[in-house]
Amino acid sequence: MTTITLSSRGQIVLPAAFRKKLGLAAGDQLRVDINEETQQITIARAETIDEMSARFNSWIKPGTPPLLNTREVFEKREPRL
């Protein structure tokens, strides 16, 4: 476990080894989650648009046409009871 110090401005510095392990560079965005029960903070590299797109595409069956007009699909759907 590594200990880091919070500055007077509320900033932390991630050690170089952590940045290297996560592939982080200046300007990269991080996702921060707080577990209020355990008071633990989890920091992870935020997904890029390309990574997110690839994940979403893995859920779509091959040959499915792209959905370009969600309003049209909504208006054509069967009403719910």
Side-chain angles (χ1 to χ4, degrees):
M1 177 180 284
T2 299
T3 301
I4 57 178
T5 303
L6 186 67
S7 77
S8 61
R9 294 177 53 191
Q11 298 171 323
I12 62 171
V13 175
L14 293 177
F18 288 16
R19 295 190 309 266
K20 185 176 180 180
K21 193 175 264 193
L22 291 173
L24 295 173
D28 286 351
Q29 293 188 344
L30 301 172
R31 190 182 73 240
V32 180
D33 295 312
I34 300 172
N35 182 327
E36 291 185 23
E37 288 181 20
T38 62
Q39 296 198 351
Q40 291 181 333
I41 297 173
T42 304
I43 301 172
R45 185 176 57 81
E47 278 185 309
T48 65
I49 293 295
D50 291 338
E51 291 168 337
M52 197 179 309
S53 178
R55 184 167 46 91
F56 291 156
N57 285 338
S58 72
W59 301 340
I60 300 170
K61 294 179 185 175
T64 302
L67 178 61
L68 302 176
N69 187 342
T70 55
R71 170 62 62 192
E72 182 179 318
V73 171
F74 178 77
E75 290 172 351
K76 288 182 179 179
R77 71 183 173 88
E78 292 288 325
R80 294 185 180 176
L81 297 176

